[in-house]
Amino acid sequence: MMVGVNDAIDVAISDETIRLGQFLKLAGLIDSGAEAKGVITDGEVTVNGEVDTRRGRQLAVGDVVEVFGRSARVAR
């Protein structure tokens, strides 16, 4: 089952952007930085519907991240 953008939880960030690995932890989608590195490297994470393997990928408000059927949207 694909999770839609409308199913994403909104997670507020304090800056204009946030790195993908940091956002996964902040949103509670994963438990640790090591886990973030693994799931990103393994191609388990999508950003706006496309697989992204860059842990340092800069996310901005409105971007939707999904991993393991759970999704979160970057919010202000």
Side-chain angles (χ1 to χ4, degrees), residues 12-68:
I13 62 171
S14 55
D15 295 320
E16 293 297 314
T17 61
I18 187 169
R19 290 194 311 268
L20 179 56
Q22 290 178 315
F23 185 73
L24 287 170
K25 289 189 296 185
L26 178 67
L29 297 175
I30 52 91
D31 294 326
S32 69
E35 184 182 1
K37 182 179 179 181
V39 297
I40 293 168
T41 302
D42 291 345
E44 299 287 343
V45 178
T46 63
V47 177
N48 300 326
E50 296 184 7
V51 172
D52 200 317
T53 57
R54 300 171 294 164
R55 190 170 59 160
R57 157 82 186 257
Q58 293 291 317
L59 302 175
V61 172
D63 285 339
V64 176
V65 175
E66 182 179 347
V67 62
F68 304 131

